[in-house]
Amino acid sequence: EASMWTAYALEGSSATLNTNTAYTKYGQASLKLESSNTTSYGRYGQYIPLTKGKTYTFSPYVRTANEVSYGPDAGTYLRVEYKDSAGTYQGCESRRVRNTYGEWTLLDVTFTLPANAASTDVIFYVIPLHFRGTIYIDGLQVEEGHVGLRRTHIVHNDLTDGLYSFTLSPTLEDR
């Protein structure tokens, strides 16, 4: 069964599904994170089971609107977490984007799920930290390999079905 993108928002922020096509890169919807102050934040996350021992790349597009970031660690970034052989969460992060000036920017993070990982479940996050403003996220996908190239291998990466997970296309061909 498909899992859902789960929204989390502290007081002073919100995480919603955007249906204004002026703020989508693909389809009719995108994820939207807003914050009214630089001490609050929201995020989206999803668990996806993957094959141990393989390398994957997680890559969505992000777009900022009126973003103001503060501090050396501020910005929007991706985080991937999994449990190592001892059951302890390990993670890796993408670069941080402070402002896209209204343009769509591709973020990506590549990781290998260890062959001895405690679980096949991997958590994928999109996190804006220490910012005030609005961020849109679209075209989210996970691909096997070191580079996320095409936005065509994934079903539902345009959020057509709302917040439910993306899944591999049964044909893996361009559409």
Side-chain angles (χ1 to χ4, degrees), residues 8-172:
Y8 173 81
L10 295 175
E11 187 175 331
S13 66
S14 67
T16 59
L17 183 66
N18 165 60
T19 56
N20 179 346
T21 57
Y23 299 101
T24 63
K25 183 159 179 71
Y26 303 105
Q28 303 296 310
S30 62
L31 302 179
K32 180 179 179 182
L33 293 166
E34 292 182 283
S35 181
S36 61
N37 62 65
T38 59
T39 59
S40 183
Y41 76 95
R43 71 175 182 227
Y44 274 101
Q46 184 177 107
Y47 284 89
I48 299 174
L50 297 175
T51 303
K52 294 178 185 180
K54 293 193 175 187
T55 298
Y56 298 92
T57 298
F58 172 41
S59 60
Y61 280 91
V62 298
R63 177 181 175 179
T64 60
N66 304 321
E67 181 180 352
V68 177
S69 299
Y70 293 98
D73 61 344
T76 300
Y77 65 100
L78 310 176
R79 181 162 176 82
V80 176
E81 292 183 353
Y82 55 86
K83 289 185 180 180
D84 63 17
S85 60
T88 303
Y89 277 105
Q90 300 296 323
C92 52
E93 298 178 352
S94 70
R95 67 185 171 95
R96 294 181 187 214
V97 173
R98 288 179 172 253
N99 195 328
T100 68
Y101 304 98
E103 300 295 324
W104 289 99
T105 299
L106 183 66
L107 278 180
D108 62 355
V109 60
T110 299
F111 67 98
T112 299
L113 182 59
N116 65 349
S119 171
T120 60
D121 285 340
V122 177
I123 311 169
F124 296 88
Y125 292 111
V126 179
I127 305 170
L129 187 63
H130 303 304
F131 84 103
R132 182 178 63 234
T134 305
I135 296 168
Y136 299 94
I137 306 106
D138 207 352
L140 303 100
Q141 72 176 33
V142 175
E143 288 183 279
E144 188 178 326
H146 290 276
V147 180
L149 296 177
R150 300 187 296 174
R151 310 246 84 57
T152 55
H153 290 194
I154 306 298
V155 176
H156 308 305
N157 75 340
D158 64 358
L159 302 169
T160 300
D161 290 335
L163 297 175
Y164 287 93
S165 75
F166 40 70
T167 55
L168 286 176
S169 167
T171 61
L172 292 178

